[in-house]
mmCIF file with all atom_site columns, all heavy atoms in Angstrom:
data_model
loop_
_atom_site.group_PDB
_atom_site.id
_atom_site.type_symbol
_atom_site.label_atom_id
_atom_site.label_alt_id
_atom_site.label_comp_id
_atom_site.label_asym_id
_atom_site.label_entity_id
_atom_site.label_seq_id
_atom_site.pdbx_PDB_ins_code
_atom_site.Cartn_x
_atom_site.Cartn_y
_atom_site.Cartn_z
_atom_site.occupancy
_atom_site.B_iso_or_equiv
_atom_site.pdbx_formal_charge
_atom_site.auth_seq_id
_atom_site.auth_comp_id
_atom_site.auth_asym_id
_atom_site.auth_atom_id
_atom_site.pdbx_PDB_model_num
ATOM 1  N N   . ARG A 1 19 ? -4.190 -5.261 -4.909  1.00 89.00 ? 759 ARG A N   1
ATOM 2  C CA  . ARG A 1 19 ? -2.739 -5.506 -4.989  1.00 89.00 ? 759 ARG A CA  1
ATOM 3  C C   . ARG A 1 19 ? -2.003 -4.210 -5.349  1.00 89.00 ? 759 ARG A C   1
ATOM 4  O O   . ARG A 1 19 ? -0.976 -3.878 -4.765  1.00 89.00 ? 759 ARG A O   1
ATOM 5  C CB  . ARG A 1 19 ? -2.437 -6.582 -6.030  1.00 89.00 ? 759 ARG A CB  1
ATOM 6  C CG  . ARG A 1 19 ? -0.981 -6.888 -6.198  1.00 89.00 ? 759 ARG A CG  1
ATOM 7  C CD  . ARG A 1 19 ? -0.638 -7.548 -7.530  1.00 89.00 ? 759 ARG A CD  1
ATOM 8  N NE  . ARG A 1 19 ? -1.257 -6.973 -8.701  1.00 89.00 ? 759 ARG A NE  1
ATOM 9  C CZ  . ARG A 1 19 ? -0.879 -5.831 -9.309  1.00 89.00 ? 759 ARG A CZ  1
ATOM 10 N NH1 . ARG A 1 19 ? 0.135  -5.142 -8.838  1.00 89.00 ? 759 ARG A NH1 1
ATOM 11 N NH2 . ARG A 1 19 ? -1.489 -5.409 -10.381 1.00 89.00 ? 759 ARG A NH2 1
ATOM 12 N N   . ALA A 1 20 ? -2.550 -3.458 -6.307  1.00 93.00 ? 760 ALA A N   1
ATOM 13 C CA  . ALA A 1 20 ? -1.925 -2.197 -6.705  1.00 93.00 ? 760 ALA A CA  1
ATOM 14 C C   . ALA A 1 20 ? -1.951 -1.173 -5.580  1.00 93.00 ? 760 ALA A C   1
ATOM 15 O O   . ALA A 1 20 ? -0.969 -0.450 -5.375  1.00 93.00 ? 760 ALA A O   1
ATOM 16 C CB  . ALA A 1 20 ? -2.664 -1.631 -7.940  1.00 93.00 ? 760 ALA A CB  1
ATOM 17 N N   . LEU A 1 21 ? -3.020 -1.127 -4.839  1.00 92.00 ? 761 LEU A N   1
ATOM 18 C CA  . LEU A 1 21 ? -3.108 -0.199 -3.701  1.00 92.00 ? 761 LEU A CA  1
ATOM 19 C C   . LEU A 1 21 ? -2.095 -0.570 -2.620  1.00 92.00 ? 761 LEU A C   1
ATOM 20 O O   . LEU A 1 21 ? -1.429 0.295  -2.059  1.00 92.00 ? 761 LEU A O   1
ATOM 21 C CB  . LEU A 1 21 ? -4.528 -0.187 -3.146  1.00 92.00 ? 761 LEU A CB  1
ATOM 22 C CG  . LEU A 1 21 ? -4.848 0.846  -2.080  1.00 92.00 ? 761 LEU A CG  1
ATOM 23 C CD1 . LEU A 1 21 ? -4.475 2.248  -2.551  1.00 92.00 ? 761 LEU A CD1 1
ATOM 24 C CD2 . LEU A 1 21 ? -6.318 0.777  -1.728  1.00 92.00 ? 761 LEU A CD2 1
ATOM 25 N N   . LEU A 1 22 ? -1.960 -1.861 -2.351  1.00 91.00 ? 762 LEU A N   1
ATOM 26 C CA  . LEU A 1 22 ? -0.957 -2.296 -1.375  1.00 91.00 ? 762 LEU A CA  1
ATOM 27 C C   . LEU A 1 22 ? 0.468  -1.993 -1.847  1.00 91.00 ? 762 LEU A C   1
ATOM 28 O O   . LEU A 1 22 ? 1.333  -1.636 -1.055  1.00 91.00 ? 762 LEU A O   1
ATOM 29 C CB  . LEU A 1 22 ? -1.124 -3.792 -1.075  1.00 91.00 ? 762 LEU A CB  1
ATOM 30 C CG  . LEU A 1 22 ? -2.361 -4.153 -0.253  1.00 91.00 ? 762 LEU A CG  1
ATOM 31 C CD1 . LEU A 1 22 ? -2.593 -5.643 -0.270  1.00 91.00 ? 762 LEU A CD1 1
ATOM 32 C CD2 . LEU A 1 22 ? -2.221 -3.623 1.163   1.00 91.00 ? 762 LEU A CD2 1
ATOM 33 N N   . ALA A 1 23 ? 0.702  -2.107 -3.155  1.00 93.00 ? 763 ALA A N   1
ATOM 34 C CA  . ALA A 1 23 ? 2.027  -1.743 -3.703  1.00 93.00 ? 763 ALA A CA  1
ATOM 35 C C   . ALA A 1 23 ? 2.289  -0.253 -3.516  1.00 93.00 ? 763 ALA A C   1
ATOM 36 O O   . ALA A 1 23 ? 3.405  0.152  -3.226  1.00 93.00 ? 763 ALA A O   1
ATOM 37 C CB  . ALA A 1 23 ? 2.108  -2.143 -5.166  1.00 93.00 ? 763 ALA A CB  1
ATOM 38 N N   . THR A 1 24 ? 1.252  0.547  -3.670  1.00 92.00 ? 764 THR A N   1
ATOM 39 C CA  . THR A 1 24 ? 1.373  1.987  -3.480  1.00 92.00 ? 764 THR A CA  1
ATOM 40 C C   . THR A 1 24 ? 1.709  2.304  -2.026  1.00 92.00 ? 764 THR A C   1
ATOM 41 O O   . THR A 1 24 ? 2.557  3.160  -1.740  1.00 92.00 ? 764 THR A O   1
ATOM 42 C CB  . THR A 1 24 ? 0.062  2.698  -3.892  1.00 92.00 ? 764 THR A CB  1
ATOM 43 O OG1 . THR A 1 24 ? -0.216 2.376  -5.252  1.00 92.00 ? 764 THR A OG1 1
ATOM 44 C CG2 . THR A 1 24 ? 0.167  4.198  -3.726  1.00 92.00 ? 764 THR A CG2 1
ATOM 45 N N   . VAL A 1 25 ? 1.053  1.614  -1.097  1.00 90.00 ? 765 VAL A N   1
ATOM 46 C CA  . VAL A 1 25 ? 1.349  1.807  0.314   1.00 90.00 ? 765 VAL A CA  1
ATOM 47 C C   . VAL A 1 25 ? 2.799  1.435  0.604   1.00 90.00 ? 765 VAL A C   1
ATOM 48 O O   . VAL A 1 25 ? 3.510  2.151  1.334   1.00 90.00 ? 765 VAL A O   1
ATOM 49 C CB  . VAL A 1 25 ? 0.387  0.956  1.195   1.00 90.00 ? 765 VAL A CB  1
ATOM 50 C CG1 . VAL A 1 25 ? 0.838  0.926  2.654   1.00 90.00 ? 765 VAL A CG1 1
ATOM 51 C CG2 . VAL A 1 25 ? -1.032 1.484  1.087   1.00 90.00 ? 765 VAL A CG2 1
#
Side-chain angles (χ1 to χ4, degrees):
R759 179 201 45 77
L761 188 53
L762 288 168
T764 303
V765 169

